[in-house]
Amino acid sequence: MQEIEWSKLSFGYYPTAWNVRCYYRDGKWGEIEETQDTNISMHMAATCLHYGQEAFEGLKAFKGKDGKTRLFRVEENALRMNRSCEGIMMPEMPVELFTEMVTKVVKLNIDYLPPYESGASLYIRPLVIGTGPQVGVRPANEYLFIIFVTPVGPYFKDGFKPTPMAILRGYDRAAPLGTGTIKVGGNYAAGIKAGHIAHEKGYSAVLFLDAKEKKYIDECGPANFFGIKGNKYITPKSESILPSITNKSLMQVAKDLGMEVERRPIPVEELAEFDEAGACGTAAVISPILRIDDLDDNHSYVLAKEGEAGPVCTKLYNALRAIQYGDAEDKHGWVTIIE
Ligand SMILES: *Cc1c(COP(=O)(O)O)cnc(C)c1O
C-alpha cells in the first residue's frame, strides 16, 4: 500500500481495500460478504436504475489521540436508513446488521483510517439499492446493501472559512409531503441542476426555500441550515428537510453550552437578523456562511461581517469535533469505540 498524504486528501473517492455487502432475497437478509471488487453486477431492469429505489447514509470513523477508533452516532444512521428504506418500500434491516457491517468494513480498511494529527477522517458510505428487475412501477423483490469507506481530508484546508450561498427561486429540491425527509438519491437528482448553476456563479451551495410558499428556509442542498441570533441557535422546522444527525448533535451541544435552541419555520427575511449562520452535515460538521444572495429578489444577506467564521460557529464546531475525536467527554453516549 502506498503512503497516503492525509492532509492532501479531498472529499472524493480514494480507493480502499475492501467493501462489505449483504443481499436481500426470498424475503430476508443473507450473510455479510467481504469483497475487493468495486463493481456491481445487476439486471438492467433493476428498480434502482429506473425508478430510483436507492437510499444511502454517510458517517465517519475517527482516530483519537489515544489510538482508538471511534464511530459517531452509528445507531442514528441505522435508524435513519430504515426510515429511508420504509419511505420508498425497500426492506428495513436490523440495527445490529447495520452496525456490524460498519464495524467490519472499518476494521478491514483500518490502514486507511487517517491518523489523529492529520485532521482527516474515514468517511463511511452505506447504500441500499433495488436490484430485482421490474418494468412496471413496483418495489423490487431483491436488494443489495453495500458499505464502502474512503479516507477524506480535513474539510477546511485553508482554515475554517465562510463561503457564499445562493437562493434560486426557480428550483425546488423536495415537496412538503414528498421524500425530502429521507435520504434517497432522488432528492439529489432533483437538486443537482440548481447546485451546478450556483457553483458556476461562484457559490458553494444553494439554499433551498420551502417548495409550497417560497417563504421559509428549508436547507442547503446536502446540509441543514442554522442561524445564530444572540444566545440562540435557530434551525428550520419543515416537512421537506432531512433530519441531519450533525444538526441534532449541534442542538444538544448548543444547549450544553448554555444556548437556547429554537426549531421553527424561518422566514427568508429573518436572515437579516442573524449574527452568524452555517450549513451543517457529516462532511464538514459546520460550513460557516459568508453571505446569502437571493438572486431572483436581488437581495443580499451578509452573515460573516468580517469575512471570518463567527465566534459561536467556531465554538460549536470545536466542541463537536472534540467529542468525535475523543478529546472531550462523551456525555451523551454518541461514540462507539470499535478498536
Ligand atoms: C445527509 C444529509 C444532510 C446531513 O445529515 P448528517 O446526518 O448531518 O450528515 C443534510 N441534508 C441532506 C439533504 C442530506 O442528505
Side-chain angles (χ1 to χ4, degrees):
M1 182 180 148
Q2 87 195 66
E3 195 87 16
I4 303 174
E5 287 189 78
W6 304 107
S7 63
K8 296 223 171 96
L9 289 171
S10 63
F11 195 82
Y13 180 73
Y14 185 98
T16 49
W18 296 92
N19 63 85
V20 294
R21 305 182 179 197
C22 187
Y23 291 89
Y24 183 90
R25 292 184 183 120
D26 304 322
K28 57 179 192 302
W29 291 104
E31 297 293 313
I32 302 171
E33 298 174 18
E34 303 164 7
T35 176
Q36 294 198 297
D37 189 355
T38 51
N39 292 331
I40 304 167
S41 172
M42 72 177 106
H43 196 286
M44 61 188 169
T47 61
C48 66
L49 300 175
H50 301 260
Y51 306 128
Q53 262 201 315
E54 188 270 354
F56 67 99
E57 272 303 325
L59 66 158
K60 281 178 170 176
F62 302 88
K63 187 154 187 119
K65 207 187 276 177
D66 55 10
K68 290 183 178 149
T69 305
R70 291 172 169 78
L71 298 175
F72 185 69
R73 305 198 79 172
V74 58
E75 197 181 312
E76 289 284 333
N77 292 93
L79 294 169
R80 188 170 66 187
M81 183 113 180
N82 277 337
R83 287 198 298 275
S84 301
C85 286
E86 196 272 330
I88 55 170
M89 298 202 70
M90 304 199 293
E92 298 176 30
M93 73 212 48
V95 170
E96 302 74 50
L97 175 65
F98 185 97
T99 311
E100 188 185 344
M101 282 177 64
V102 168
T103 306
K104 182 165 247 173
V105 72
V106 172
K107 286 187 177 173
L108 285 168
N109 294 288
I110 205 75
D111 292 345
Y112 296 88
L113 179 69
Y116 171 79
E117 300 72 29
S118 67
S121 55
L122 189 70
Y123 184 72
I124 305 164
R125 167 55 61 89
L127 67 147
V128 180
I129 52 176
T131 48
Q134 291 287 7
V135 177
V137 183
R138 269 188 299 277
N141 45 22
E142 292 191 359
Y143 294 85
L144 171 57
F145 175 31
I146 302 189
I147 311 182
F148 67 80
V149 297
T150 192
V152 290
Y155 201 86
F156 298 102
K157 283 195 184 52
D158 314 311
F160 186 51
K161 282 265 184 277
T163 58
M165 296 190 183
I167 295 173
L168 295 173
R169 289 172 179 262
Y171 296 87
D172 289 321
R173 176 190 157 270
L177 298 174
T179 52
T181 53
I182 57 176
K183 206 167 176 77
V184 297
N187 293 334
Y188 282 76
I192 203 163
K193 190 170 170 192
H196 179 78
I197 293 168
H199 291 150
E200 295 263 282
K201 292 180 187 285
Y203 297 99
S204 63
V206 178
L207 180 62
F208 287 98
L209 302 186
D210 80 282
K212 191 171 172 189
E213 297 190 79
K214 297 280 186 187
K215 266 166 84 173
Y216 303 101
I217 294 170
D218 247 7
E219 63 174 320
C220 321
N224 277 187
F225 173 90
F226 68 88
I228 303 294
K229 196 192 282 185
N231 195 38
K232 281 188 191 150
Y233 178 101
I234 307 169
T235 193
K237 187 176 169 75
S238 156
E239 282 180 327
S240 46
I241 64 179
L242 197 275
S244 151
I245 296 163
T246 312
N247 196 7
K248 188 174 176 181
S249 308
L250 287 171
M251 286 189 254
Q252 184 62 53
V253 168
K255 280 185 200 155
D256 294 348
L257 292 170
M259 295 181 70
E260 251 178 82
V261 172
E262 287 180 5
R263 210 173 136 251
R264 57 163 171 83
I266 303 177
V268 184
E269 307 76 57
E270 194 177 345
L271 287 174
E273 298 169 25
F274 290 134
D275 306 318
E276 302 175 32
C280 60
T282 294
V285 179
I286 292 175
S287 274
I289 302 175
L290 179 65
R291 192 180 79 241
I292 294 169
D293 293 344
D294 191 337
L295 294 177
D296 304 291
D297 216 17
N298 274 323
H299 219 99
S300 197
Y301 304 92
V302 176
L303 291 152
K305 275 139 202 122
E306 318 293 319
E308 299 292 328
V312 181
C313 280
T314 307
K315 191 163 73 176
L316 291 168
Y317 174 77
N318 289 334
L320 190 54
R321 295 244 313 169
I323 299 172
Q324 293 176 328
Y325 281 92
D327 292 333
E329 188 198 346
D330 174 29
K331 280 196 281 204
H332 303 288
W334 288 345
V335 165
T336 308
I337 295 177
I338 59 169
E339 194 167 289

